[in-house]
Amino acid sequence: MTERADFSERDRRYLAVRNAMGQFPMDALIVAGHGSGFNRGNLRYLADVHMWEGDGLILIPLNGEPMHVQVTYASSSLPDYLWVEDFRREPDPQDAIIDAIREKGLTNGTIGIAGYKKIITVGALEKLTTAFPNAKFKDADMLLDKIRAVKSELEILQLKELWFMSQHAIERFVDVVSPEITQREAAAESSKIFRSAGSFTDLTVIQEGNFKGLPRDVSLKCDDWISFHLEICGETGHWSEINVVCAFKEPDKLEEKLIASEFRALQEIKKMAKPGVTLEDMEKIFLEVIRGDGWGLGQPEWHYSFHG
């Protein structure tokens, strides 16, 4: 993958964050991250680091330079040129944040926390609130989530690159699937594609018969259908999910009905897909067709469409 974020992209993101901070309003923002699939994106967005494990925090004052700290034993990929010049390592990252809050004169301010509900550790939050009893700590999860949901032209290019690579990877699975190889061997053929493209975090799930889970060292049966689900964190930190079903016999009546509903929904979406139409608009049409045919769906999420 070739489209990499540079300092101009970094500056665009920090400007958006500080504009939102001013509207909140808050004097500083603490951004929490952890080296796990759902919890490292904030730090990738603002420091261009890919965390494999451990905790990290970024302090962004409304006015002044940010500070980024990672736990001493954290393993991560840092950019060639640090996005946050003040980079530190500490056994307890919150200690460095406490020092920086004092250095920047923010001890009595309003401080938002992005990652308040699910990312920042209980110990870190307790230490911060104890150190600064006069500060007001606020939940700022949605502040950063909404900023990240609006993609720049660069991010759209990065997502397209990731999508084409993901499609290539799952097509490789389709090419090799046969009863002569195991689940793991088939999944490994797919993984060669995305690992050679710089992606080193993934989830692969195979479903065949009554089994659904991580690929096992058992031969594929190829006598009914096989579902292969692939999720990839790309080289640039974006995430893709793609699924394929390989069918080895004709669908039953219920499956035929679902396929027909989905194709009809797709045709309706294609009729309206043009510049200016939002994903939300297209999702409404999709749901009208699917629900009109009697199918039930789960509750929608605010930040993505056509999921689940």
Coordinates of all heavy atoms in Angstrom, one line a residue, residues 207-279:
Q207 N -16.9 -21.2 8.6 CA -18.1 -21.9 9.0 C -18.4 -23.0 8.0 O -18.5 -22.7 6.8 CB -19.3 -21.0 9.2 CG -20.6 -21.7 9.7 CD -21.7 -20.7 9.9 OE1 -21.5 -19.5 9.8 NE2 -22.8 -21.2 10.4
E208 N -18.5 -24.2 8.5 CA -18.9 -25.4 7.6 C -19.6 -26.4 8.5 O -19.1 -26.8 9.5 CB -17.7 -26.0 6.9 CG -18.1 -27.1 6.0 CD -16.9 -27.7 5.2 OE1 -15.8 -27.6 5.7 OE2 -17.1 -28.1 4.0
G209 N -20.8 -26.7 8.0 CA -21.6 -27.6 8.8 C -22.0 -27.0 10.2 O -22.4 -25.9 10.3
N210 N -21.7 -27.8 11.3 CA -22.0 -27.3 12.6 C -20.9 -26.5 13.2 O -21.0 -26.0 14.3 CB -22.4 -28.5 13.5 CG -23.7 -29.1 13.1 OD1 -24.6 -28.5 12.7 ND2 -23.8 -30.5 13.3
F211 N -19.8 -26.4 12.5 CA -18.6 -25.8 13.0 C -18.5 -24.3 12.6 O -18.7 -24.0 11.4 CB -17.3 -26.5 12.6 CG -16.1 -25.7 13.0 CD1 -15.6 -25.7 14.3 CD2 -15.4 -24.9 12.0 CE1 -14.4 -25.0 14.6 CE2 -14.3 -24.2 12.3 CZ -13.8 -24.2 13.6
K212 N -18.2 -23.4 13.5 CA -17.9 -22.0 13.2 C -16.8 -21.5 14.1 O -17.0 -21.6 15.4 CB -19.2 -21.2 13.3 CG -18.9 -19.7 13.0 CD -20.2 -18.9 13.1 CE -19.9 -17.4 12.7 NZ -21.1 -16.6 12.8
G213 N -15.7 -21.1 13.6 CA -14.6 -20.6 14.5 C -13.4 -20.4 13.7 O -13.3 -20.4 12.5
L214 N -12.3 -20.3 14.5 CA -11.0 -20.1 13.9 C -10.6 -21.4 13.1 O -10.9 -22.5 13.5 CB -9.9 -19.8 14.9 CG -10.1 -18.5 15.8 CD1 -9.0 -18.4 16.9 CD2 -10.1 -17.3 14.9
P215 N -9.9 -21.2 12.0 CA -9.6 -22.4 11.1 C -8.8 -23.5 11.9 O -7.9 -23.2 12.7 CB -8.7 -21.8 10.0 CG -9.1 -20.3 10.0 CD -9.4 -19.9 11.4
R216 N -9.2 -24.7 11.7 CA -8.7 -25.9 12.3 C -7.9 -26.7 11.3 O -8.0 -26.6 10.1 CB -9.7 -26.7 13.0 CG -10.4 -26.0 14.1 CD -11.5 -26.9 14.8 NE -12.1 -26.3 16.0 CZ -13.0 -26.9 16.7 NH1 -13.5 -28.1 16.3 NH2 -13.5 -26.3 17.7
D217 N -7.1 -27.6 11.9 CA -6.3 -28.5 11.0 C -7.2 -29.7 10.6 O -6.8 -30.9 10.9 CB -5.1 -29.0 11.8 CG -4.1 -29.7 10.9 OD1 -4.1 -29.5 9.7 OD2 -3.3 -30.5 11.4
V218 N -8.3 -29.5 10.0 CA -9.2 -30.5 9.5 C -9.5 -30.3 8.0 O -9.6 -29.1 7.6 CB -10.5 -30.6 10.3 CG1 -10.1 -31.0 11.8 CG2 -11.2 -29.3 10.3
S219 N -9.7 -31.3 7.3 CA -10.0 -31.1 5.9 C -11.3 -30.5 5.6 O -12.3 -30.8 6.4 CB -9.9 -32.5 5.1 OG -8.6 -33.0 5.2
L220 N -11.4 -29.7 4.6 CA -12.7 -29.1 4.2 C -13.6 -30.2 3.6 O -13.0 -31.1 2.9 CB -12.5 -28.0 3.2 CG -11.7 -26.8 3.7 CD1 -11.3 -25.9 2.5 CD2 -12.6 -26.0 4.6
K221 N -14.9 -30.2 3.8 CA -15.8 -31.2 3.3 C -16.3 -30.8 1.9 O -16.4 -31.7 1.0 CB -16.9 -31.4 4.2 CG -16.6 -31.9 5.6 CD -17.8 -31.9 6.5 CE -17.4 -32.4 7.9 NZ -18.5 -32.4 8.9
C222 N -16.6 -29.6 1.7 CA -17.1 -29.1 0.4 C -18.3 -29.9 -0.1 O -18.4 -30.2 -1.3 CB -16.0 -29.1 -0.6 SG -14.5 -28.2 -0.2
D223 N -19.2 -30.2 0.8 CA -20.4 -31.0 0.4 C -21.7 -30.2 0.6 O -22.8 -30.7 0.2 CB -20.5 -32.3 1.2 CG -20.5 -32.1 2.7 OD1 -20.5 -30.9 3.2 OD2 -20.6 -33.1 3.5
D224 N -21.6 -29.0 1.2 CA -22.8 -28.2 1.3 C -22.5 -26.7 1.0 O -22.5 -26.3 -0.1 CB -23.4 -28.3 2.8 CG -24.8 -27.7 2.9 OD1 -25.2 -26.9 2.0 OD2 -25.4 -27.9 4.0
W225 N -22.0 -26.0 2.1 CA -21.5 -24.6 1.8 C -20.5 -24.3 2.9 O -20.5 -24.8 4.0 CB -22.6 -23.6 1.8 CG -23.5 -23.5 3.0 CD1 -24.6 -24.1 3.3 CD2 -23.2 -22.7 4.2 NE1 -25.1 -23.8 4.5 CE2 -24.3 -22.9 5.1 CE3 -22.2 -21.8 4.6 CZ2 -24.4 -22.3 6.4 CZ3 -22.3 -21.2 5.9 CH2 -23.3 -21.5 6.7
I226 N -19.5 -23.4 2.5 CA -18.5 -22.9 3.4 C -18.5 -21.4 3.4 O -18.5 -20.8 2.4 CB -17.1 -23.4 3.0 CG1 -17.0 -24.9 2.9 CG2 -16.0 -22.8 3.9 CD1 -15.7 -25.4 2.2
S227 N -18.5 -20.8 4.6 CA -18.5 -19.4 4.8 C -17.1 -19.0 5.3 O -16.6 -19.7 6.2 CB -19.5 -18.9 5.8 OG -19.3 -17.5 6.1
F228 N -16.4 -18.1 4.7 CA -15.1 -17.6 5.1 C -15.3 -16.1 5.4 O -15.6 -15.3 4.5 CB -14.1 -17.8 4.0 CG -12.7 -17.4 4.4 CD1 -12.1 -17.9 5.6 CD2 -12.0 -16.5 3.6 CE1 -10.8 -17.5 5.9 CE2 -10.7 -16.1 4.0 CZ -10.1 -16.6 5.2
H229 N -15.0 -15.7 6.6 CA -15.1 -14.3 7.1 C -13.7 -13.8 7.4 O -12.9 -14.4 8.1 CB -16.0 -14.2 8.3 CG -16.1 -12.8 8.8 ND1 -17.0 -11.9 8.2 CD2 -15.6 -12.2 9.9 CE1 -16.9 -10.8 8.9 NE2 -16.1 -10.9 9.9
L230 N -13.4 -12.6 6.8 CA -12.0 -12.1 6.9 C -12.1 -10.6 7.3 O -12.8 -9.8 6.7 CB -11.3 -12.2 5.6 CG -9.9 -11.6 5.5 CD1 -9.0 -12.3 6.4 CD2 -9.4 -11.7 4.0
E231 N -11.5 -10.3 8.4 CA -11.3 -8.9 8.9 C -9.9 -8.6 9.0 O -9.1 -9.4 9.5 CB -12.0 -8.7 10.3 CG -13.5 -9.1 10.3 CD -14.1 -8.7 11.6 OE1 -13.6 -7.9 12.3 OE2 -15.2 -9.3 11.9
I232 N -9.5 -7.4 8.4 CA -8.1 -7.0 8.3 C -7.9 -5.6 8.8 O -8.7 -4.7 8.4 CB -7.6 -7.1 6.8 CG1 -7.8 -8.5 6.3 CG2 -6.2 -6.7 6.7 CD1 -7.6 -8.6 4.8
C233 N -6.9 -5.4 9.6 CA -6.4 -4.1 9.9 C -5.3 -3.8 8.9 O -4.2 -4.4 9.0 CB -5.9 -4.0 11.4 SG -5.3 -2.3 11.8
G234 N -5.5 -2.8 8.0 CA -4.6 -2.6 7.0 C -3.3 -1.8 7.5 O -3.2 -1.4 8.6
E235 N -2.4 -1.7 6.6 CA -1.1 -1.0 6.9 C -1.3 0.4 7.4 O -0.5 0.8 8.3 CB -0.2 -1.0 5.7 CG 1.2 -0.4 5.9 CD 2.0 -0.4 4.6 OE1 1.4 -0.5 3.5 OE2 3.2 -0.2 4.7
T236 N -2.4 1.1 7.0 CA -2.6 2.4 7.4 C -3.5 2.6 8.5 O -4.0 3.7 8.9 CB -3.1 3.3 6.2 OG1 -4.3 2.6 5.7 CG2 -2.1 3.3 5.1
G237 N -3.9 1.4 9.1 CA -4.7 1.4 10.3 C -6.2 1.3 10.1 O -7.0 1.2 11.1
H238 N -6.7 1.3 8.9 CA -8.1 1.2 8.6 C -8.5 -0.3 8.6 O -7.6 -1.2 8.5 CB -8.4 1.7 7.2 CG -8.2 3.2 7.1 ND1 -8.9 4.1 7.7 CD2 -7.2 3.9 6.4 CE1 -8.5 5.4 7.5 NE2 -7.4 5.2 6.7
W239 N -9.8 -0.5 8.8 CA -10.3 -1.9 9.0 C -11.2 -2.3 7.9 O -12.0 -1.5 7.4 CB -11.1 -1.9 10.3 CG -11.3 -3.3 10.9 CD1 -12.4 -4.1 10.7 CD2 -10.4 -4.1 11.6 NE1 -12.3 -5.3 11.3 CE2 -11.0 -5.3 11.9 CE3 -9.1 -3.9 12.2 CZ2 -10.5 -6.3 12.7 CZ3 -8.5 -4.9 12.9 CH2 -9.2 -6.1 13.2
S240 N -11.1 -3.5 7.4 CA -12.1 -4.0 6.4 C -12.7 -5.3 6.9 O -12.0 -6.1 7.7 CB -11.4 -4.2 5.1 OG -10.6 -5.4 5.1
E241 N -13.9 -5.6 6.5 CA -14.6 -6.9 6.8 C -15.2 -7.3 5.5 O -15.8 -6.6 4.8 CB -15.7 -6.7 7.8 CG -15.2 -6.3 9.2 CD -16.3 -6.3 10.2 OE1 -17.3 -7.1 10.0 OE2 -16.2 -5.5 11.2
I242 N -14.9 -8.6 5.2 CA -15.4 -9.1 3.9 C -15.7 -10.6 4.1 O -15.1 -11.3 4.9 CB -14.4 -9.0 2.8 CG1 -15.0 -9.3 1.4 CG2 -13.1 -9.7 3.0 CD1 -14.1 -8.9 0.2
N243 N -16.8 -11.1 3.5 CA -17.3 -12.5 3.7 C -17.6 -13.1 2.3 O -18.1 -12.4 1.4 CB -18.5 -12.4 4.6 CG -18.8 -13.8 5.2 OD1 -18.3 -14.1 6.2 ND2 -19.7 -14.6 4.5
V244 N -17.3 -14.4 2.2 CA -17.7 -15.1 1.0 C -18.3 -16.4 1.4 O -17.9 -17.0 2.4 CB -16.5 -15.3 0.1 CG1 -15.5 -16.3 0.7 CG2 -16.9 -15.8 -1.3
V245 N -19.3 -16.9 0.6 CA -19.9 -18.2 0.8 C -19.7 -19.0 -0.4 O -20.1 -18.6 -1.5 CB -21.4 -18.1 1.2 CG1 -22.1 -19.4 1.3 CG2 -21.7 -17.3 2.4
C246 N -19.1 -20.1 -0.3 CA -18.9 -21.1 -1.4 C -19.9 -22.2 -1.3 O -19.9 -22.9 -0.3 CB -17.5 -21.7 -1.3 SG -16.1 -20.5 -1.3
A247 N -20.8 -22.2 -2.2 CA -21.9 -23.2 -2.2 C -21.6 -24.4 -3.1 O -21.1 -24.2 -4.2 CB -23.2 -22.5 -2.6
F248 N -21.9 -25.6 -2.6 CA -21.6 -26.8 -3.4 C -22.9 -27.6 -3.7 O -22.9 -28.7 -4.2 CB -20.7 -27.7 -2.6 CG -19.4 -27.0 -2.3 CD1 -19.2 -26.3 -1.1 CD2 -18.3 -27.0 -3.2 CE1 -18.0 -25.7 -0.9 CE2 -17.1 -26.4 -3.0 CZ -16.9 -25.7 -1.8
K249 N -24.1 -26.9 -3.4 CA -25.3 -27.5 -3.8 C -26.4 -26.4 -3.9 O -26.1 -25.3 -3.5 CB -25.8 -28.6 -2.8 CG -26.2 -28.0 -1.4 CD -26.7 -29.1 -0.6 CE -27.3 -28.6 0.8 NZ -27.8 -29.7 1.6
E250 N -27.5 -26.7 -4.5 CA -28.5 -25.7 -4.7 C -29.1 -25.2 -3.4 O -29.2 -26.0 -2.5 CB -29.6 -26.2 -5.6 CG -29.2 -26.5 -7.0 CD -28.7 -25.3 -7.8 OE1 -29.3 -24.3 -7.7 OE2 -27.6 -25.4 -8.4
P251 N -29.4 -23.9 -3.3 CA -30.0 -23.4 -2.1 C -31.4 -23.9 -1.8 O -32.1 -24.3 -2.8 CB -30.1 -21.8 -2.3 CG -30.1 -21.7 -3.8 CD -29.3 -22.8 -4.3
D252 N -31.8 -24.0 -0.6 CA -33.2 -24.4 -0.3 C -34.1 -23.3 -0.5 O -33.7 -22.2 -0.8 CB -33.3 -25.0 1.2 CG -32.9 -24.0 2.3 OD1 -33.1 -22.8 2.0 OD2 -32.4 -24.4 3.3
K253 N -35.4 -23.5 -0.2 CA -36.5 -22.5 -0.5 C -36.2 -21.2 0.3 O -36.4 -20.1 -0.2 CB -37.8 -23.1 -0.2 CG -38.2 -24.2 -1.1 CD -38.4 -23.8 -2.5 CE -38.8 -24.9 -3.4 NZ -38.9 -24.5 -4.9
L254 N -35.9 -21.3 1.6 CA -35.7 -20.1 2.4 C -34.5 -19.4 2.0 O -34.5 -18.1 1.9 CB -35.6 -20.6 3.9 CG -35.5 -19.4 4.9 CD1 -36.9 -18.6 4.9 CD2 -35.3 -19.9 6.3
E255 N -33.4 -20.1 1.6 CA -32.2 -19.4 1.1 C -32.5 -18.7 -0.2 O -32.0 -17.6 -0.4 CB -31.1 -20.4 1.0 CG -30.6 -20.9 2.3 CD -29.7 -22.2 2.2 OE1 -29.8 -22.8 1.1 OE2 -28.9 -22.5 3.1
E256 N -33.3 -19.3 -1.0 CA -33.6 -18.7 -2.3 C -34.4 -17.4 -2.1 O -34.2 -16.4 -2.8 CB -34.5 -19.7 -3.1 CG -33.7 -20.8 -3.8 CD -34.6 -21.6 -4.7 OE1 -35.8 -21.5 -4.6 OE2 -34.0 -22.4 -5.5
K257 N -35.3 -17.4 -1.1 CA -36.1 -16.2 -0.8 C -35.2 -15.1 -0.3 O -35.3 -13.9 -0.7 CB -37.1 -16.5 0.3 CG -38.0 -15.4 0.6 CD -39.0 -15.7 1.7 CE -39.8 -14.4 2.1 NZ -40.7 -14.7 3.3
L258 N -34.2 -15.4 0.6 CA -33.3 -14.4 1.1 C -32.5 -13.8 0.0 O -32.3 -12.6 -0.1 CB -32.5 -15.0 2.2 CG -31.4 -14.0 2.8 CD1 -32.1 -12.7 3.3 CD2 -30.6 -14.7 3.9
I259 N -31.9 -14.7 -0.9 CA -31.1 -14.2 -2.0 C -31.9 -13.3 -2.9 O -31.4 -12.3 -3.4 CB -30.5 -15.5 -2.8 CG1 -29.5 -16.2 -1.9 CG2 -29.9 -15.0 -4.1 CD1 -29.1 -17.6 -2.5
A260 N -33.1 -13.7 -3.2 CA -34.0 -12.9 -4.1 C -34.2 -11.5 -3.4 O -34.2 -10.5 -4.1 CB -35.3 -13.6 -4.3
S261 N -34.5 -11.5 -2.1 CA -34.7 -10.2 -1.4 C -33.4 -9.3 -1.5 O -33.5 -8.1 -1.8 CB -35.1 -10.4 0.0 OG -36.3 -11.1 0.1
E262 N -32.3 -9.9 -1.3 CA -31.0 -9.1 -1.3 C -30.7 -8.6 -2.7 O -30.3 -7.5 -2.8 CB -29.9 -10.0 -0.8 CG -30.0 -10.3 0.7 CD -28.9 -11.1 1.3 OE1 -28.4 -11.9 0.5 OE2 -28.6 -11.0 2.5
F263 N -31.0 -9.4 -3.7 CA -30.7 -8.9 -5.1 C -31.7 -7.8 -5.5 O -31.3 -6.9 -6.1 CB -30.9 -10.1 -6.1 CG -29.5 -10.8 -6.3 CD1 -29.3 -12.1 -5.8 CD2 -28.5 -10.2 -7.1 CE1 -28.1 -12.7 -6.0 CE2 -27.3 -10.8 -7.3 CZ -27.1 -12.1 -6.8
R264 N -32.9 -7.9 -5.0 CA -33.9 -6.9 -5.3 C -33.5 -5.6 -4.6 O -33.6 -4.5 -5.2 CB -35.3 -7.3 -4.8 CG -36.4 -6.4 -5.3 CD -37.8 -7.0 -5.3 NE -38.1 -7.7 -4.0 CZ -38.1 -9.0 -3.9 NH1 -37.8 -9.8 -4.9 NH2 -38.4 -9.5 -2.7
A265 N -33.0 -5.7 -3.4 CA -32.6 -4.5 -2.6 C -31.4 -3.9 -3.3 O -31.3 -2.7 -3.4 CB -32.2 -4.9 -1.2
L266 N -30.5 -4.7 -3.8 CA -29.3 -4.2 -4.5 C -29.7 -3.5 -5.8 O -29.1 -2.4 -6.1 CB -28.4 -5.4 -4.9 CG -27.1 -5.0 -5.7 CD1 -26.2 -4.1 -5.0 CD2 -26.4 -6.3 -6.1
Q267 N -30.7 -4.0 -6.5 CA -31.1 -3.3 -7.7 C -31.7 -2.0 -7.4 O -31.5 -1.0 -8.2 CB -32.1 -4.2 -8.5 CG -31.6 -5.5 -9.1 CD -30.4 -5.2 -10.0 OE1 -30.4 -4.3 -10.8 NE2 -29.3 -6.0 -9.8
E268 N -32.5 -1.9 -6.3 CA -33.1 -0.6 -5.9 C -32.0 0.4 -5.5 O -32.1 1.6 -5.8 CB -34.1 -0.8 -4.8 CG -35.3 -1.6 -5.2 CD -36.1 -0.9 -6.3 OE1 -36.2 0.4 -6.3 OE2 -36.5 -1.6 -7.2
I269 N -31.0 -0.1 -4.9 CA -29.9 0.8 -4.5 C -29.1 1.3 -5.7 O -28.7 2.5 -5.8 CB -28.9 0.0 -3.5 CG1 -29.6 -0.2 -2.1 CG2 -27.6 0.8 -3.3 CD1 -28.8 -1.1 -1.2
K270 N -28.9 0.4 -6.7 CA -28.1 0.8 -7.9 C -28.9 1.9 -8.6 O -28.3 2.8 -9.3 CB -27.9 -0.4 -8.7 CG -26.9 -1.4 -8.2 CD -26.8 -2.7 -9.0 CE -26.3 -2.5 -10.4 NZ -26.2 -3.8 -11.1
K271 N -30.2 1.9 -8.6 CA -31.0 2.9 -9.3 C -30.7 4.3 -8.7 O -30.8 5.3 -9.4 CB -32.5 2.6 -9.2 CG -32.9 1.4 -9.9 CD -34.4 1.1 -9.7 CE -34.9 -0.2 -10.4 NZ -36.3 -0.4 -10.1
M272 N -30.5 4.4 -7.4 CA -30.3 5.7 -6.8 C -28.9 6.1 -6.5 O -28.6 7.2 -6.1 CB -31.1 5.7 -5.4 CG -30.6 4.7 -4.4 SD -31.5 4.8 -2.8 CE -31.3 6.5 -2.3
A273 N -28.0 5.2 -6.7 CA -26.6 5.4 -6.3 C -26.0 6.5 -7.3 O -25.7 6.1 -8.5 CB -25.8 4.1 -6.3
K274 N -25.8 7.7 -6.8 CA -25.2 8.7 -7.6 C -24.6 9.8 -6.7 O -24.9 9.8 -5.5 CB -26.2 9.4 -8.5 CG -27.4 10.0 -7.8 CD -28.5 10.5 -8.7 CE -29.1 9.4 -9.5 NZ -30.3 9.8 -10.3
P275 N -23.7 10.6 -7.2 CA -23.1 11.6 -6.3 C -24.2 12.5 -5.6 O -25.2 12.9 -6.2 CB -22.3 12.5 -7.2 CG -21.9 11.6 -8.4 CD -23.1 10.7 -8.5
G276 N -24.0 12.7 -4.3 CA -24.9 13.5 -3.5 C -25.8 12.6 -2.6 O -26.4 13.1 -1.7
V277 N -26.0 11.3 -3.0 CA -26.8 10.4 -2.2 C -25.9 9.8 -1.1 O -24.8 9.4 -1.3 CB -27.4 9.3 -3.1 CG1 -28.2 8.3 -2.3 CG2 -28.3 9.9 -4.2
T278 N -26.5 9.8 0.1 CA -25.7 9.3 1.3 C -25.9 7.8 1.5 O -26.9 7.2 1.0 CB -26.1 10.1 2.5 OG1 -27.5 9.7 2.9 CG2 -26.0 11.6 2.4
L279 N -25.0 7.2 2.2 CA -25.1 5.8 2.6 C -26.4 5.6 3.4 O -27.1 4.6 3.3 CB -23.9 5.4 3.4 CG -22.7 5.0 2.6 CD1 -21.6 4.6 3.6 CD2 -22.9 3.8 1.7

